[in-house]
Amino acid sequence: MDKIKLIEIKEDIQADNALVAQELRDRLLREQTLMINLMSSPGSGKTSLLLRTIEALKDEISIGVIEADIDSVVDSEKIAETGIPSVQLRTGGFCHLDATMVKKGLDGLDNPSLDLVFIENVGNLVCPAEFDTGAIKDAMILSVPEGDDKPLKYPLMFTKANALVVNKIDYMQLSDFDTTRLKSHVNRLNPDIALFEVSCKTGEGISQWTDWLKKTIAEFNGTAG
């Protein structure tokens, strides 16, 4: 029997994606737009965090949002009600965004003067971490009801993220979630990650998150300038 010919498709796809991602970062640097890739599991509060962030910053920072979902426009409708520029990417079954998809979203926003663009990635703790979107920073949300052991089960996303937002801290008293244990797990994977404890329901902790965003924008603009 002839030897089976094996073609590694994933390596080719990742290499092509890396080229597009770097082109996107070069473009964002020229336009001085900080783009943040926001990842989490479904229901952890990505859209709620964006709404709180927009509410806090929209009068001092120009913001755009690229929404992504497998097959709905529910989240983008909520963002559109805030009046900021937004586009919806419908992935048609794909469980993640890649750089080519994000480029279409950025083109759709058609606004090179934005200070900050969020990508709301597809809800999933696995696939979105494997693909470079071209974003300048990666952030993720972990909600209290999901448990403090997720870094052990999904280490790649925690390793990749620049910021971790622990949402739904208003559930803390009803849960066995242990923040000290979570920090121990996370710091072993990524000691440089910035961690924020927030409740999008009550607004607690949101100002620390938005302060970090403003500081990161200033640092990025200093680099870009």
Side-chain angles (χ1 to χ4, degrees), residues 62-149:
S62 56
I63 304 173
V65 175
I66 299 172
E67 284 282 349
D69 212 337
I70 290 175
D71 190 18
S72 86
V73 294
V74 174
D75 294 337
S76 62
E77 288 174 344
K78 294 177 183 175
I79 298 296
E81 288 176 1
T82 68
I84 70 158
S86 63
V87 296
Q88 176 74 49
L89 297 175
R90 183 176 291 170
T91 67
F94 285 102
C95 59
H96 65 274
L97 292 179
D98 63 21
T100 299
M101 298 177 196
V102 171
K103 181 179 182 302
K104 290 181 179 178
L106 201 58
D107 291 344
L109 284 175
D110 192 24
N111 189 340
S113 63
L114 293 171
D115 298 312
L116 176 63
V117 171
F118 284 105
I119 305 165
E120 184 175 342
N121 214 316
V122 180
N124 187 322
L125 285 178
V126 180
C127 305
E130 295 183 347
F131 284 83
D132 188 346
T133 60
I136 304 296
K137 298 286 185 183
D138 292 293
M140 68 171 294
I141 303 174
L142 175 68
S143 66
V144 168
E146 292 175 82
D148 54 41
D149 60 350

